[in-house]
Amino acid sequence: MAVKSHHLDEALDDLAPLVGDGTVILSVLNGLTSEDTIAARFPQAHVLLCIALAMDARRDGERGVLWTQVGRLDFGEADNTDPSADVLRVQKALDRAGLAWTTPVDMRHAMWWKFMVNVGANQATALTRSGYGALRDPGGTRDLMLALIHEVLAVAAVEGVALDAEDVARWEQVLAGQPADGWTSMRQDVEAGRTTEVDLFGGTVVDLGRKHGIATPYNQAAAWALRGLTEAGARLTTPQR
Ligand SMILES: NC(=O)C1=CN([C@@H]2O[C@H](COP(=O)(O)OP(=O)(O)OC[C@H]3O[C@@H](n4cnc5c(N)ncnc54)[C@H](OP(=O)(O)O)[C@@H]3O)[C@@H](O)[C@H]2O)C=CC1
Ligand SMILES: CC(C)(CO)C(=O)C(=O)O
């Protein structure tokens, strides 16, 4: 699955005729929830965990895609100490397709790491309409990213996921390889006037914060501002009284 979160239900309807017993499904959707949604819809399938990272693809007109970093898929079972037969099959399929992959031992941690990156980088660059360079250079966009990430570390801890400064440092290493003027997918959505995936990012942090009694003011403000941008775009295309 490689659609935006607001198209997932419709895409699963389209996929239904192709899914049989033991069909293996990978979801590159960002956020923590798409695998559960797919598994609930297709209990007969085997939904592996997956993240897509270190890429900077950008649409160019209707059909073109520009990129400098091809990125990779990290995927597998929650615990890949002893890779399952389906994981081995998918590794081979990705090799045949020429797609880079790894199968980290602890995929739950990998999913949360990616969630942390998206909550910080996507929301900060979409709000300040900046590229990856602004996440590296001292300034407002970087400070916002770090504040948003800090709240993810706090909710991760009570969810039993050990995310810490080393994980932030690992994101900084990936960031160092991204082009200064490359755009996160959320910035691309904002520029194109498309609905954003804010519910997968700030919205989820706010919900988890509420569940555990942890204040998440930066993510709350980011979620309001990003929803406000989509609403403002809708007002521009709908005649106002
Ligand atoms: N872009 C990135 O760098 C990264 C994105 N992700 C995540 O991957 C997911 C996809 O993002 P991205 O590729 O950027 O999104 P895009 O909007 O660029 O692409 C999504 C594609 O899904 C197609 N689509 C929508 N509904 C259906 C359907 N029912 N059947 C078939 N195709 C459908 C759309 O078609 P159409 O063009 O006709 O609308 C579109 O081409 C998101 O969750 C994103 O967060 C993860 C890592 C990196
Ligand atoms: C990690 C990042 C920022 C690019 O690989 C991404 O996931 C996105 O743009 O949605």
Side-chain angles (χ1 to χ4, degrees):
M1 296 307 301
V3 299
K4 285 280 162 64
S5 56
H6 38 275
H7 294 140
L8 182 59
D9 286 340
E10 184 193 315
L12 293 180
D13 288 344
D14 294 341
L15 190 66
L18 301 175
V19 180
D21 281 344
T23 300
V24 179
I25 301 180
L26 290 191
S27 164
V28 303
L29 270 76
N30 279 325
L32 297 170
T33 54
S34 69
E35 281 83 2
D36 287 346
T37 305
I38 299 168
R41 177 69 200 275
F42 299 129
Q44 72 276 35
H46 185 181
V47 185
L48 296 173
L49 297 177
C50 180
I51 57 174
L53 69 156
M55 63 221 18
D56 63 344
R58 180 157 152 188
R59 289 196 202 194
D60 182 27
E62 272 299 302
R63 295 186 176 275
V65 177
L66 302 172
W67 53 272
T68 64
Q69 306 285 313
V70 72
R72 67 169 200 271
L73 300 179
D74 286 359
F75 78 97
E77 313 286 352
D79 178 353
N80 288 306
T81 311
D82 189 10
S84 67
D86 279 343
V87 167
L88 296 174
R89 271 173 62 205
V90 175
Q91 288 174 347
K92 287 201 183 107
L94 294 175
D95 281 342
R96 281 199 300 274
L99 292 175
W101 55 266
T102 70
T103 35
V105 169
D106 186 349
M107 259 317 288
R108 184 160 181 252
H109 183 272
M111 299 283 295
W112 269 84
W113 178 83
K114 182 74 198 294
F115 176 61
M116 173 197 86
V117 167
N118 289 133
V119 167
N122 292 35
Q123 297 191 118
T125 55
L127 286 170
T128 66
R129 303 178 87 153
S130 302
Y132 289 110
L135 297 173
R136 289 195 291 257
D137 301 338
T141 307
R142 181 175 167 78
D143 288 345
L144 179 56
M145 172 186 77
L146 293 173
L148 293 163
I149 281 180
H150 231 82
E151 292 179 354
V152 177
L153 301 189
V155 292
V158 287
E159 284 281 313
V161 180
L163 274 185
D164 57 26
E166 263 181 47
D167 294 298
V168 181
R170 199 154 60 80
W171 163 232
E172 302 262 18
Q173 279 167 17
V174 175
L175 193 52
Q178 297 289 77
D181 58 356
W183 292 2
T184 62
S185 57
M186 190 176 242
R187 165 133 194 238
Q188 295 181 45
D189 290 337
V190 165
E191 295 295 346
R194 291 191 293 263
T195 304
T196 69
E197 295 183 302
V198 61
D199 292 341
L200 297 188
F201 305 150
T204 302
V205 176
V206 170
D207 288 348
L208 288 170
R210 230 174 251 142
K211 177 174 148 198
H212 295 293
I214 293 173
T216 55
Y218 292 108
N219 276 282
Q220 178 65 86
W224 283 330
L226 286 159
R227 284 180 194 130
L229 279 178
T230 304
E231 289 152 12
R235 256 181 244 118
L236 283 179
T237 52
T238 312
Q240 300 294 298
R241 282 193 292 161

